[in-house]
Amino acid sequence: MTAKKQKILVIIRQAPYSSVLPEAALDIVLTAAAFEQEVSLLFFSQGVLHLLAQESTDSSAMKNISRALPSLELYEVNNILLDREALQANALQEDELLLPAKLLNPVEISAAIAAADQVFNC
Amino acid sequence: MTKTLHLINKAPQHSSALDECLGLILSDPQAHTLMLIEDGVYAALGQADTNQHFLQGLQQSKLPAYVLMEDLEARGISDKVSGVFSLVDYTGFVDLTLKFSKVQSWA
Amino acid sequence: MTAVIMIQDKEVALDKRGYLRKLSDWSPEVAATLAQQEDIELTEAHWELINLLRDFHQRSGLIPSTRALIKLMTKELGSDKGKSAYLMQLFPGTPLKTVCKISGLPRPTNCI
Protein backbone atom coordinates (compact mmCIF):
# COMPACT_ATOMS: atom_id res chain seq x y z
CA MET A 1 0.00 0.00 0.00
CA THR A 2 1.51 3.29 -1.07
CA ALA A 3 -1.18 5.60 0.26
CA LYS A 4 -0.26 7.89 3.12
CA LYS A 5 -0.77 6.45 6.59
CA GLN A 6 -4.12 7.33 8.06
CA LYS A 7 -4.43 8.57 11.60
CA ILE A 8 -7.13 6.35 12.99
CA LEU A 9 -8.73 6.99 16.36
CA VAL A 10 -10.91 4.29 17.88
CA ILE A 11 -13.03 5.38 20.85
CA ILE A 12 -14.42 2.87 23.34
CA ARG A 13 -17.19 4.40 25.43
CA GLN A 14 -19.06 1.40 26.78
CA ALA A 15 -18.32 -0.55 29.93
CA PRO A 16 -17.24 -4.22 29.78
CA TYR A 17 -20.06 -6.69 28.97
CA SER A 18 -22.48 -3.86 28.17
CA SER A 19 -22.56 -4.57 24.45
CA VAL A 20 -20.53 -6.04 21.62
CA LEU A 21 -19.27 -2.59 20.64
CA PRO A 22 -15.98 -2.76 22.61
CA GLU A 23 -15.16 -6.07 20.95
CA ALA A 24 -15.93 -4.60 17.54
CA ALA A 25 -13.72 -1.63 18.40
CA LEU A 26 -10.82 -3.93 19.24
CA ASP A 27 -11.27 -5.67 15.88
CA ILE A 28 -11.02 -2.31 14.15
CA VAL A 29 -7.84 -1.52 16.09
CA LEU A 30 -6.17 -4.81 15.16
CA THR A 31 -7.23 -4.63 11.53
CA ALA A 32 -6.05 -1.04 11.13
CA ALA A 33 -2.76 -1.98 12.80
CA ALA A 34 -2.35 -4.94 10.45
CA PHE A 35 -2.57 -2.46 7.58
CA GLU A 36 0.14 -0.39 9.26
CA GLN A 37 -2.01 2.64 9.90
CA GLU A 38 -1.32 5.01 12.77
CA VAL A 39 -3.81 3.77 15.34
CA SER A 40 -4.77 5.41 18.63
CA LEU A 41 -7.18 3.91 21.11
CA LEU A 42 -9.15 6.17 23.44
CA PHE A 43 -11.03 4.87 26.47
CA PHE A 44 -13.72 7.42 27.15
CA SER A 45 -16.52 7.65 29.73
CA GLN A 46 -17.42 4.18 31.07
CA GLY A 47 -14.95 2.72 28.57
CA VAL A 48 -12.15 3.37 31.08
CA LEU A 49 -13.40 0.36 33.06
CA HIS A 50 -11.80 -1.93 30.48
CA LEU A 51 -8.44 -0.94 31.95
CA LEU A 52 -9.16 -2.93 35.10
CA ALA A 53 -8.02 -6.54 34.97
CA GLN A 54 -11.12 -8.72 35.04
CA GLU A 55 -10.87 -11.33 37.73
CA SER A 56 -12.84 -13.98 35.90
CA THR A 57 -14.60 -13.99 32.57
CA ASP A 58 -15.86 -17.55 32.58
CA SER A 59 -19.33 -16.77 33.86
CA SER A 60 -20.16 -14.35 31.08
CA ALA A 61 -21.17 -15.38 27.59
CA MET A 62 -19.66 -12.17 26.29
CA LYS A 63 -16.00 -11.80 25.55
CA ASN A 64 -14.11 -9.12 27.32
CA ILE A 65 -11.32 -7.23 25.66
CA SER A 66 -9.31 -6.40 28.77
CA ARG A 67 -7.02 -9.39 28.59
CA ALA A 68 -6.03 -8.47 25.03
CA LEU A 69 -4.96 -4.94 25.94
CA PRO A 70 -1.47 -5.66 27.34
CA SER A 71 -0.61 -7.35 24.00
CA LEU A 72 -1.50 -4.36 21.84
CA GLU A 73 2.14 -3.25 21.83
CA LEU A 74 2.95 -6.33 19.73
CA TYR A 75 0.68 -4.85 17.06
CA GLU A 76 2.48 -1.50 17.30
CA VAL A 77 -0.57 0.08 18.95
CA ASN A 78 1.20 2.21 21.53
CA ASN A 79 -0.93 5.32 21.69
CA ILE A 80 -3.41 4.49 24.43
CA LEU A 81 -5.45 7.47 25.62
CA LEU A 82 -7.63 7.75 28.66
CA ASP A 83 -10.41 10.07 29.81
CA ARG A 84 -9.01 11.55 33.02
CA GLU A 85 -12.39 12.72 34.30
CA ALA A 86 -13.96 9.28 33.84
CA LEU A 87 -11.04 7.75 35.69
CA GLN A 88 -11.71 10.07 38.61
CA ALA A 89 -15.48 9.59 38.38
CA ASN A 90 -14.95 5.84 38.76
CA ALA A 91 -12.39 6.29 41.54
CA LEU A 92 -9.71 4.43 39.61
CA GLN A 93 -6.02 4.93 40.30
CA GLU A 94 -3.51 5.11 37.51
CA ASP A 95 -1.36 2.40 39.07
CA GLU A 96 -4.12 -0.21 39.00
CA LEU A 97 -4.57 0.01 35.23
CA LEU A 98 -3.66 -2.85 32.91
CA LEU A 99 -1.33 -0.79 30.78
CA PRO A 100 0.21 2.64 30.77
CA ALA A 101 -1.95 5.28 29.12
CA LYS A 102 -1.91 9.00 28.47
CA LEU A 103 -4.48 10.81 30.60
CA LEU A 104 -6.34 13.53 28.72
CA ASN A 105 -8.71 16.26 29.80
CA PRO A 106 -11.78 17.15 27.67
CA VAL A 107 -9.95 19.80 25.65
CA GLU A 108 -7.15 17.37 24.82
CA ILE A 109 -9.70 14.70 23.88
CA SER A 110 -11.42 17.14 21.52
CA ALA A 111 -8.05 17.93 19.97
CA ALA A 112 -7.25 14.22 19.52
CA ILE A 113 -10.59 13.69 17.78
CA ALA A 114 -10.03 16.70 15.55
CA ALA A 115 -6.52 15.55 14.62
CA ALA A 116 -7.62 12.09 13.44
CA ASP A 117 -8.32 11.32 9.78
CA GLN A 118 -10.86 8.66 10.74
CA VAL A 119 -12.73 8.31 14.00
CA PHE A 120 -14.57 5.15 15.01
CA ASN A 121 -16.81 6.21 17.87
CA CYS A 122 -17.96 2.94 19.40
CA MET B 1 -10.39 25.00 11.62
CA THR B 2 -12.02 21.61 11.56
CA LYS B 3 -15.76 21.90 11.90
CA THR B 4 -17.55 18.84 13.11
CA LEU B 5 -21.20 17.90 12.98
CA HIS B 6 -22.11 15.54 15.82
CA LEU B 7 -25.01 13.14 15.26
CA ILE B 8 -26.96 11.71 18.17
CA ASN B 9 -29.52 9.00 17.41
CA LYS B 10 -30.35 7.63 20.87
CA ALA B 11 -32.77 8.97 23.48
CA PRO B 12 -30.97 10.55 26.47
CA GLN B 13 -32.86 8.20 28.80
CA HIS B 14 -31.29 5.18 27.07
CA SER B 15 -27.81 6.28 26.24
CA SER B 16 -25.11 8.50 27.65
CA ALA B 17 -24.07 9.51 24.12
CA LEU B 18 -25.50 13.04 24.32
CA ASP B 19 -23.96 13.66 27.74
CA GLU B 20 -20.57 12.43 26.58
CA CYS B 21 -20.72 14.39 23.36
CA LEU B 22 -21.74 17.67 25.01
CA GLY B 23 -19.05 17.22 27.64
CA LEU B 24 -16.48 17.50 24.90
CA ILE B 25 -17.96 20.12 22.60
CA LEU B 26 -19.91 22.69 24.67
CA SER B 27 -16.75 24.58 25.51
CA ASP B 28 -15.95 25.14 21.84
CA PRO B 29 -19.19 26.15 20.10
CA GLN B 30 -17.33 27.58 17.09
CA ALA B 31 -15.91 24.20 16.12
CA HIS B 32 -18.92 21.98 16.72
CA THR B 33 -22.56 21.62 15.86
CA LEU B 34 -25.09 19.20 17.29
CA MET B 35 -27.74 17.36 15.29
CA LEU B 36 -30.41 15.08 16.77
CA ILE B 37 -31.92 12.32 14.65
CA GLU B 38 -34.02 9.17 15.18
CA ASP B 39 -34.65 8.61 18.93
CA GLY B 40 -32.12 11.32 19.64
CA VAL B 41 -34.86 13.88 18.93
CA TYR B 42 -36.41 13.16 22.34
CA ALA B 43 -33.61 15.24 23.86
CA ALA B 44 -35.20 18.28 22.18
CA LEU B 45 -38.43 18.01 24.21
CA GLY B 46 -38.46 21.45 25.78
CA GLN B 47 -40.63 20.65 28.81
CA ALA B 48 -39.15 17.30 29.80
CA ASP B 49 -37.53 17.46 33.23
CA THR B 50 -34.75 15.09 32.25
CA ASN B 51 -33.70 17.39 29.41
CA GLN B 52 -33.31 20.60 31.37
CA HIS B 53 -29.59 20.29 32.03
CA PHE B 54 -28.83 19.65 28.31
CA LEU B 55 -31.02 22.50 27.24
CA GLN B 56 -29.49 24.94 29.70
CA GLY B 57 -26.03 23.92 28.66
CA LEU B 58 -26.87 24.40 25.00
CA GLN B 59 -28.46 27.75 25.61
CA GLN B 60 -25.51 29.07 27.60
CA SER B 61 -22.88 27.83 25.19
CA LYS B 62 -24.68 29.06 22.04
CA LEU B 63 -23.60 25.87 20.33
CA PRO B 64 -25.59 25.51 17.10
CA ALA B 65 -28.11 22.67 17.47
CA TYR B 66 -30.44 21.10 14.93
CA VAL B 67 -33.12 18.47 15.09
CA LEU B 68 -34.56 16.45 12.22
CA MET B 69 -38.16 17.42 11.50
CA GLU B 70 -39.24 14.12 9.94
CA ASP B 71 -38.15 12.21 13.05
CA LEU B 72 -40.00 14.68 15.30
CA GLU B 73 -43.16 14.33 13.23
CA ALA B 74 -42.96 10.55 13.20
CA ARG B 75 -42.95 10.67 17.00
CA GLY B 76 -45.69 13.29 17.27
CA ILE B 77 -43.54 15.80 19.13
CA SER B 78 -42.77 18.49 16.55
CA ASP B 79 -44.72 21.13 18.51
CA LYS B 80 -42.87 20.42 21.77
CA VAL B 81 -39.36 21.32 20.70
CA SER B 82 -37.21 23.64 22.78
CA GLY B 83 -36.33 26.96 21.19
CA VAL B 84 -32.60 26.26 21.34
CA PHE B 85 -33.00 23.91 18.35
CA SER B 86 -33.40 24.76 14.71
CA LEU B 87 -35.60 22.39 12.74
CA VAL B 88 -34.27 20.94 9.48
CA ASP B 89 -35.82 18.48 7.04
CA TYR B 90 -33.93 15.70 5.27
CA THR B 91 -32.77 18.01 2.51
CA GLY B 92 -31.54 20.50 5.08
CA PHE B 93 -29.78 17.67 6.92
CA VAL B 94 -27.94 16.65 3.75
CA ASP B 95 -26.94 20.27 3.08
CA LEU B 96 -25.69 20.48 6.64
CA THR B 97 -23.50 17.39 6.38
CA LEU B 98 -21.89 18.87 3.26
CA LYS B 99 -20.96 22.06 5.09
CA PHE B 100 -18.87 20.24 7.69
CA SER B 101 -15.42 18.78 7.18
CA LYS B 102 -16.29 15.98 9.59
CA VAL B 103 -19.42 14.19 10.65
CA GLN B 104 -19.19 12.27 13.89
CA SER B 105 -21.78 9.65 14.83
CA TRP B 106 -22.19 8.82 18.50
CA ALA B 107 -23.29 5.19 18.50
CA MET C 1 -17.86 -30.49 5.84
CA THR C 2 -16.01 -32.05 8.71
CA ALA C 3 -13.20 -34.54 8.68
CA VAL C 4 -12.50 -36.76 11.64
CA ILE C 5 -9.11 -38.13 12.50
CA MET C 6 -8.44 -40.81 15.05
CA ILE C 7 -5.78 -40.01 17.59
CA GLN C 8 -5.12 -42.49 20.38
CA ASP C 9 -8.61 -44.00 19.94
CA LYS C 10 -10.19 -40.59 20.23
CA GLU C 11 -12.12 -38.90 17.44
CA VAL C 12 -10.91 -35.40 16.68
CA ALA C 13 -13.06 -33.28 14.36
CA LEU C 14 -11.43 -30.95 11.86
CA ASP C 15 -13.02 -28.23 9.75
CA LYS C 16 -12.70 -28.22 5.97
CA ARG C 17 -9.35 -26.42 6.17
CA GLY C 18 -7.94 -28.88 8.67
CA TYR C 19 -8.25 -26.75 11.82
CA LEU C 20 -9.62 -28.23 15.05
CA ARG C 21 -13.38 -27.81 15.43
CA LYS C 22 -13.01 -27.83 19.19
CA LEU C 23 -9.93 -26.13 20.56
CA SER C 24 -10.16 -28.26 23.71
CA ASP C 25 -9.40 -31.34 21.59
CA TRP C 26 -5.78 -30.24 21.33
CA SER C 27 -3.02 -32.38 22.81
CA PRO C 28 0.64 -32.84 21.92
CA GLU C 29 -0.35 -36.01 20.04
CA VAL C 30 -2.93 -34.07 18.04
CA ALA C 31 -0.26 -31.50 17.23
CA ALA C 32 2.12 -34.19 16.01
CA THR C 33 -0.57 -35.69 13.76
CA LEU C 34 -1.54 -32.30 12.33
CA ALA C 35 2.13 -31.52 11.73
CA GLN C 36 2.59 -34.81 9.89
CA GLN C 37 -0.19 -33.80 7.51
CA GLU C 38 1.85 -30.68 6.73
CA ASP C 39 5.01 -32.77 6.27
CA ILE C 40 6.56 -31.29 9.37
CA GLU C 41 8.33 -33.32 12.01
CA LEU C 42 8.14 -31.49 15.30
CA THR C 43 11.48 -30.72 16.94
CA GLU C 44 12.23 -28.89 20.14
CA ALA C 45 12.39 -25.62 18.21
CA HIS C 46 8.86 -26.23 16.90
CA TRP C 47 7.56 -26.97 20.38
CA GLU C 48 9.09 -23.83 21.77
CA LEU C 49 7.10 -21.82 19.26
CA ILE C 50 3.89 -23.84 19.68
CA ASN C 51 4.00 -23.36 23.43
CA LEU C 52 4.68 -19.66 23.04
CA LEU C 53 1.73 -19.26 20.68
CA ARG C 54 -0.66 -21.31 22.82
CA ASP C 55 0.32 -19.38 25.92
CA PHE C 56 -0.18 -16.07 24.10
CA HIS C 57 -3.60 -17.11 22.86
CA GLN C 58 -4.71 -18.34 26.25
CA ARG C 59 -3.54 -15.18 27.93
CA SER C 60 -4.82 -12.60 25.44
CA GLY C 61 -7.60 -14.31 23.50
CA LEU C 62 -5.89 -13.01 20.38
CA ILE C 63 -4.47 -14.66 17.31
CA PRO C 64 -1.34 -12.77 16.36
CA SER C 65 -0.62 -11.31 12.95
CA THR C 66 2.67 -12.46 11.46
CA ARG C 67 4.37 -9.26 12.55
CA ALA C 68 2.94 -9.49 16.05
CA LEU C 69 4.11 -13.10 16.31
CA ILE C 70 7.64 -12.16 15.26
CA LYS C 71 7.64 -9.36 17.84
CA LEU C 72 6.45 -11.82 20.45
CA MET C 73 9.23 -14.23 19.46
CA THR C 74 11.80 -11.46 19.74
CA LYS C 75 10.51 -10.55 23.16
CA GLU C 76 10.23 -14.05 24.58
CA LEU C 77 12.78 -16.12 22.65
CA GLY C 78 15.44 -13.55 21.83
CA SER C 79 16.26 -11.47 18.80
CA ASP C 80 18.08 -14.22 16.91
CA LYS C 81 14.83 -16.20 16.80
CA GLY C 82 12.55 -13.21 16.29
CA LYS C 83 12.90 -13.29 12.51
CA SER C 84 10.51 -14.22 9.75
CA ALA C 85 13.22 -16.43 8.21
CA TYR C 86 13.33 -18.50 11.40
CA LEU C 87 9.55 -18.86 11.36
CA MET C 88 9.59 -19.78 7.66
CA GLN C 89 12.25 -22.38 8.23
CA LEU C 90 10.21 -24.13 10.92
CA PHE C 91 6.82 -23.80 9.28
CA PRO C 92 7.35 -23.38 5.52
CA GLY C 93 4.74 -22.08 3.12
CA THR C 94 2.23 -19.98 5.04
CA PRO C 95 3.90 -20.06 8.47
CA LEU C 96 1.28 -18.25 10.54
CA LYS C 97 -1.59 -20.39 9.26
CA THR C 98 0.41 -23.59 9.66
CA VAL C 99 1.66 -22.88 13.16
CA CYS C 100 -1.85 -21.84 14.28
CA LYS C 101 -3.29 -25.06 12.87
CA ILE C 102 -0.75 -27.27 14.60
CA SER C 103 -1.07 -25.31 17.85
CA GLY C 104 -4.83 -25.81 17.88
CA LEU C 105 -5.73 -22.16 17.39
CA PRO C 106 -8.45 -20.85 15.09
CA ARG C 107 -7.48 -19.98 11.55
CA PRO C 108 -5.95 -16.50 11.38
CA THR C 109 -8.15 -14.19 9.36
CA ASN C 110 -5.90 -11.17 9.46
CA CYS C 111 -3.03 -12.91 7.74
CA ILE C 112 -0.73 -10.00 7.04
PDB file of all heavy atoms in Angstrom, chain A residues 4-25:
ATOM      1  N   LYS A   4      -0.760   7.324   1.873  1.00  0.00           N
ATOM      2  CA  LYS A   4      -0.265   7.888   3.117  1.00  0.00           C
ATOM      3  C   LYS A   4      -0.956   7.198   4.310  1.00  0.00           C
ATOM      4  O   LYS A   4      -2.117   6.833   4.239  1.00  0.00           O
ATOM      5  CB  LYS A   4      -0.603   9.383   3.102  1.00  0.00           C
ATOM      6  CG  LYS A   4      -0.094  10.157   4.290  1.00  0.00           C
ATOM      7  CD  LYS A   4      -0.532  11.623   4.131  1.00  0.00           C
ATOM      8  CE  LYS A   4      -0.555  12.341   5.465  1.00  0.00           C
ATOM      9  NZ  LYS A   4      -1.693  11.973   6.321  1.00  0.00           N
ATOM     10  N   LYS A   5      -0.189   7.049   5.383  1.00  0.00           N
ATOM     11  CA  LYS A   5      -0.768   6.446   6.586  1.00  0.00           C
ATOM     12  C   LYS A   5      -1.912   7.293   7.099  1.00  0.00           C
ATOM     13  O   LYS A   5      -1.813   8.513   7.179  1.00  0.00           O
ATOM     14  CB  LYS A   5       0.299   6.363   7.684  1.00  0.00           C
ATOM     15  CG  LYS A   5       1.141   5.134   7.610  1.00  0.00           C
ATOM     16  CD  LYS A   5       1.914   4.984   8.908  1.00  0.00           C
ATOM     17  CE  LYS A   5       2.927   3.859   8.755  1.00  0.00           C
ATOM     18  NZ  LYS A   5       3.593   3.570  10.014  1.00  0.00           N
ATOM     19  N   GLN A   6      -2.987   6.624   7.476  1.00  0.00           N
ATOM     20  CA  GLN A   6      -4.124   7.329   8.055  1.00  0.00           C
ATOM     21  C   GLN A   6      -3.985   7.356   9.569  1.00  0.00           C
ATOM     22  O   GLN A   6      -3.582   6.369  10.176  1.00  0.00           O
ATOM     23  CB  GLN A   6      -5.416   6.582   7.704  1.00  0.00           C
ATOM     24  CG  GLN A   6      -5.788   6.630   6.251  1.00  0.00           C
ATOM     25  CD  GLN A   6      -6.674   7.819   5.952  1.00  0.00           C
ATOM     26  OE1 GLN A   6      -7.714   7.994   6.578  1.00  0.00           O
ATOM     27  NE2 GLN A   6      -6.257   8.643   5.016  1.00  0.00           N
ATOM     28  N   LYS A   7      -4.340   8.505  10.145  1.00  0.00           N
ATOM     29  CA  LYS A   7      -4.426   8.575  11.601  1.00  0.00           C
ATOM     30  C   LYS A   7      -5.808   8.093  11.998  1.00  0.00           C
ATOM     31  O   LYS A   7      -6.804   8.749  11.702  1.00  0.00           O
ATOM     32  CB  LYS A   7      -4.250  10.018  12.071  1.00  0.00           C
ATOM     33  CG  LYS A   7      -2.831  10.468  12.127  1.00  0.00           C
ATOM     34  CD  LYS A   7      -2.762  11.822  12.807  1.00  0.00           C
ATOM     35  CE  LYS A   7      -1.346  12.347  12.662  1.00  0.00           C
ATOM     36  NZ  LYS A   7      -1.253  13.770  12.890  1.00  0.00           N
ATOM     37  N   ILE A   8      -5.846   6.942  12.633  1.00  0.00           N
ATOM     38  CA  ILE A   8      -7.134   6.354  12.992  1.00  0.00           C
ATOM     39  C   ILE A   8      -7.307   6.384  14.503  1.00  0.00           C
ATOM     40  O   ILE A   8      -6.423   5.953  15.233  1.00  0.00           O
ATOM     41  CB  ILE A   8      -7.224   4.916  12.450  1.00  0.00           C
ATOM     42  CG1 ILE A   8      -7.207   4.986  10.925  1.00  0.00           C
ATOM     43  CG2 ILE A   8      -8.471   4.209  12.973  1.00  0.00           C
ATOM     44  CD1 ILE A   8      -7.222   3.664  10.247  1.00  0.00           C
ATOM     45  N   LEU A   9      -8.425   6.944  14.929  1.00  0.00           N
ATOM     46  CA  LEU A   9      -8.726   6.991  16.355  1.00  0.00           C
ATOM     47  C   LEU A   9      -9.950   6.127  16.627  1.00  0.00           C
ATOM     48  O   LEU A   9     -11.004   6.331  16.033  1.00  0.00           O
ATOM     49  CB  LEU A   9      -8.999   8.436  16.801  1.00  0.00           C
ATOM     50  CG  LEU A   9      -9.450   8.596  18.264  1.00  0.00           C
ATOM     51  CD1 LEU A   9      -8.341   8.215  19.228  1.00  0.00           C
ATOM     52  CD2 LEU A   9      -9.910  10.035  18.530  1.00  0.00           C
ATOM     53  N   VAL A  10      -9.781   5.139  17.485  1.00  0.00           N
ATOM     54  CA  VAL A  10     -10.907   4.291  17.882  1.00  0.00           C
ATOM     55  C   VAL A  10     -11.283   4.667  19.314  1.00  0.00           C
ATOM     56  O   VAL A  10     -10.416   4.713  20.188  1.00  0.00           O
ATOM     57  CB  VAL A  10     -10.539   2.797  17.788  1.00  0.00           C
ATOM     58  CG1 VAL A  10     -11.720   1.935  18.215  1.00  0.00           C
ATOM     59  CG2 VAL A  10     -10.113   2.454  16.364  1.00  0.00           C
ATOM     60  N   ILE A  11     -12.556   4.973  19.526  1.00  0.00           N
ATOM     61  CA  ILE A  11     -13.025   5.380  20.849  1.00  0.00           C
ATOM     62  C   ILE A  11     -13.914   4.282  21.431  1.00  0.00           C
ATOM     63  O   ILE A  11     -14.869   3.850  20.784  1.00  0.00           O
ATOM     64  CB  ILE A  11     -13.831   6.696  20.785  1.00  0.00           C
ATOM     65  CG1 ILE A  11     -13.035   7.780  20.048  1.00  0.00           C
ATOM     66  CG2 ILE A  11     -14.210   7.170  22.193  1.00  0.00           C
ATOM     67  CD1 ILE A  11     -13.796   9.075  19.873  1.00  0.00           C
ATOM     68  N   ILE A  12     -13.577   3.837  22.623  1.00  0.00           N
ATOM     69  CA  ILE A  12     -14.417   2.866  23.336  1.00  0.00           C
ATOM     70  C   ILE A  12     -15.102   3.595  24.478  1.00  0.00           C
ATOM     71  O   ILE A  12     -14.441   4.153  25.353  1.00  0.00           O
ATOM     72  CB  ILE A  12     -13.568   1.692  23.857  1.00  0.00           C
ATOM     73  CG1 ILE A  12     -13.016   0.909  22.656  1.00  0.00           C
ATOM     74  CG2 ILE A  12     -14.400   0.783  24.781  1.00  0.00           C
ATOM     75  CD1 ILE A  12     -12.203  -0.315  23.034  1.00  0.00           C
ATOM     76  N   ARG A  13     -16.437   3.638  24.434  1.00  0.00           N
ATOM     77  CA  ARG A  13     -17.194   4.402  25.434  1.00  0.00           C
ATOM     78  C   ARG A  13     -18.022   3.540  26.359  1.00  0.00           C
ATOM     79  O   ARG A  13     -18.591   4.013  27.332  1.00  0.00           O
ATOM     80  CB  ARG A  13     -18.118   5.407  24.725  1.00  0.00           C
ATOM     81  CG  ARG A  13     -17.360   6.547  24.101  1.00  0.00           C
ATOM     82  CD  ARG A  13     -18.224   7.365  23.137  1.00  0.00           C
ATOM     83  NE  ARG A  13     -19.611   7.408  23.459  1.00  0.00           N
ATOM     84  CZ  ARG A  13     -20.587   7.189  22.585  1.00  0.00           C
ATOM     85  NH1 ARG A  13     -20.311   6.916  21.338  1.00  0.00           N
ATOM     86  NH2 ARG A  13     -21.838   7.251  22.968  1.00  0.00           N
ATOM     87  N   GLN A  14     -18.154   2.258  26.018  1.00  0.00           N
ATOM     88  CA  GLN A  14     -19.056   1.401  26.777  1.00  0.00           C
ATOM     89  C   GLN A  14     -18.279   0.551  27.772  1.00  0.00           C
ATOM     90  O   GLN A  14     -17.166   0.124  27.499  1.00  0.00           O
ATOM     91  CB  GLN A  14     -19.803   0.474  25.825  1.00  0.00           C
ATOM     92  CG  GLN A  14     -20.256   1.162  24.559  1.00  0.00           C
ATOM     93  CD  GLN A  14     -21.745   1.438  24.552  1.00  0.00           C
ATOM     94  OE1 GLN A  14     -22.482   0.876  25.353  1.00  0.00           O
ATOM     95  NE2 GLN A  14     -22.174   2.311  23.666  1.00  0.00           N
ATOM     96  N   ALA A  15     -18.929   0.275  28.886  1.00  0.00           N
ATOM     97  CA  ALA A  15     -18.316  -0.551  29.926  1.00  0.00           C
ATOM     98  C   ALA A  15     -18.208  -2.012  29.453  1.00  0.00           C
ATOM     99  O   ALA A  15     -18.899  -2.417  28.525  1.00  0.00           O
ATOM    100  CB  ALA A  15     -19.167  -0.480  31.195  1.00  0.00           C
ATOM    101  N   PRO A  16     -17.331  -2.794  30.111  1.00  0.00           N
ATOM    102  CA  PRO A  16     -17.236  -4.221  29.782  1.00  0.00           C
ATOM    103  C   PRO A  16     -18.597  -4.915  29.885  1.00  0.00           C
ATOM    104  O   PRO A  16     -19.395  -4.575  30.758  1.00  0.00           O
ATOM    105  CB  PRO A  16     -16.270  -4.771  30.841  1.00  0.00           C
ATOM    106  CG  PRO A  16     -15.457  -3.598  31.264  1.00  0.00           C
ATOM    107  CD  PRO A  16     -16.370  -2.405  31.148  1.00  0.00           C
ATOM    108  N   TYR A  17     -18.848  -5.850  28.995  1.00  0.00           N
ATOM    109  CA  TYR A  17     -20.057  -6.686  28.971  1.00  0.00           C
ATOM    110  C   TYR A  17     -21.348  -5.912  28.690  1.00  0.00           C
ATOM    111  O   TYR A  17     -22.425  -6.474  28.772  1.00  0.00           O
ATOM    112  CB  TYR A  17     -20.240  -7.458  30.296  1.00  0.00           C
ATOM    113  CG  TYR A  17     -19.002  -8.183  30.745  1.00  0.00           C
ATOM    114  CD1 TYR A  17     -18.351  -7.829  31.915  1.00  0.00           C
ATOM    115  CD2 TYR A  17     -18.458  -9.206  29.973  1.00  0.00           C
ATOM    116  CE1 TYR A  17     -17.199  -8.477  32.315  1.00  0.00           C
ATOM    117  CE2 TYR A  17     -17.309  -9.856  30.362  1.00  0.00           C
ATOM    118  CZ  TYR A  17     -16.682  -9.488  31.544  1.00  0.00           C
ATOM    119  OH  TYR A  17     -15.545 -10.128  31.930  1.00  0.00           O
ATOM    120  N   SER A  18     -21.256  -4.617  28.387  1.00  0.00           N
ATOM    121  CA  SER A  18     -22.483  -3.859  28.168  1.00  0.00           C
ATOM    122  C   SER A  18     -23.016  -4.072  26.765  1.00  0.00           C
ATOM    123  O   SER A  18     -24.211  -3.951  26.525  1.00  0.00           O
ATOM    124  CB  SER A  18     -22.229  -2.380  28.411  1.00  0.00           C
ATOM    125  OG  SER A  18     -21.209  -1.927  27.547  1.00  0.00           O
ATOM    126  N   SER A  19     -22.131  -4.347  25.833  1.00  0.00           N
ATOM    127  CA  SER A  19     -22.563  -4.573  24.452  1.00  0.00           C
ATOM    128  C   SER A  19     -21.401  -5.185  23.691  1.00  0.00           C
ATOM    129  O   SER A  19     -20.313  -5.379  24.241  1.00  0.00           O
ATOM    130  CB  SER A  19     -22.970  -3.259  23.787  1.00  0.00           C
ATOM    131  OG  SER A  19     -21.820  -2.531  23.397  1.00  0.00           O
ATOM    132  N   VAL A  20     -21.624  -5.478  22.425  1.00  0.00           N
ATOM    133  CA  VAL A  20     -20.535  -6.041  21.621  1.00  0.00           C
ATOM    134  C   VAL A  20     -19.659  -4.947  21.017  1.00  0.00           C
ATOM    135  O   VAL A  20     -18.667  -5.240  20.355  1.00  0.00           O
ATOM    136  CB  VAL A  20     -21.060  -6.941  20.483  1.00  0.00           C
ATOM    137  CG1 VAL A  20     -21.757  -8.156  21.050  1.00  0.00           C
ATOM    138  CG2 VAL A  20     -21.984  -6.181  19.557  1.00  0.00           C
ATOM    139  N   LEU A  21     -20.024  -3.683  21.265  1.00  0.00           N
ATOM    140  CA  LEU A  21     -19.273  -2.593  20.639  1.00  0.00           C
ATOM    141  C   LEU A  21     -17.782  -2.577  21.015  1.00  0.00           C
ATOM    142  O   LEU A  21     -16.935  -2.377  20.140  1.00  0.00           O
ATOM    143  CB  LEU A  21     -19.910  -1.238  20.961  1.00  0.00           C
ATOM    144  CG  LEU A  21     -21.154  -0.874  20.135  1.00  0.00           C
ATOM    145  CD1 LEU A  21     -21.728   0.438  20.623  1.00  0.00           C
ATOM    146  CD2 LEU A  21     -20.836  -0.785  18.654  1.00  0.00           C
ATOM    147  N   PRO A  22     -17.415  -2.778  22.291  1.00  0.00           N
ATOM    148  CA  PRO A  22     -15.978  -2.758  22.612  1.00  0.00           C
ATOM    149  C   PRO A  22     -15.191  -3.837  21.853  1.00  0.00           C
ATOM    150  O   PRO A  22     -14.072  -3.583  21.396  1.00  0.00           O
ATOM    151  CB  PRO A  22     -15.950  -3.022  24.122  1.00  0.00           C
ATOM    152  CG  PRO A  22     -17.264  -2.524  24.619  1.00  0.00           C
ATOM    153  CD  PRO A  22     -18.230  -2.861  23.519  1.00  0.00           C
ATOM    154  N   GLU A  23     -15.817  -4.993  21.690  1.00  0.00           N
ATOM    155  CA  GLU A  23     -15.158  -6.065  20.950  1.00  0.00           C
ATOM    156  C   GLU A  23     -14.979  -5.678  19.477  1.00  0.00           C
ATOM    157  O   GLU A  23     -13.927  -5.916  18.882  1.00  0.00           O
ATOM    158  CB  GLU A  23     -16.023  -7.316  21.069  1.00  0.00           C
ATOM    159  CG  GLU A  23     -15.266  -8.608  20.931  1.00  0.00           C
ATOM    160  CD  GLU A  23     -16.229  -9.789  20.937  1.00  0.00           C
ATOM    161  OE1 GLU A  23     -17.185  -9.779  21.745  1.00  0.00           O
ATOM    162  OE2 GLU A  23     -16.031 -10.698  20.122  1.00  0.00           O
ATOM    163  N   ALA A  24     -16.020  -5.056  18.919  1.00  0.00           N
ATOM    164  CA  ALA A  24     -15.932  -4.598  17.535  1.00  0.00           C
ATOM    165  C   ALA A  24     -14.832  -3.544  17.407  1.00  0.00           C
ATOM    166  O   ALA A  24     -14.083  -3.522  16.434  1.00  0.00           O
ATOM    167  CB  ALA A  24     -17.276  -4.030  17.081  1.00  0.00           C
ATOM    168  N   ALA A  25     -14.742  -2.687  18.424  1.00  0.00           N
ATOM    169  CA  ALA A  25     -13.722  -1.634  18.400  1.00  0.00           C
ATOM    170  C   ALA A  25     -12.321  -2.240  18.405  1.00  0.00           C
ATOM    171  O   ALA A  25     -11.428  -1.787  17.669  1.00  0.00           O
ATOM    172  CB  ALA A  25     -13.901  -0.712  19.601  1.00  0.00           C
TER     173      ALA A  25
END
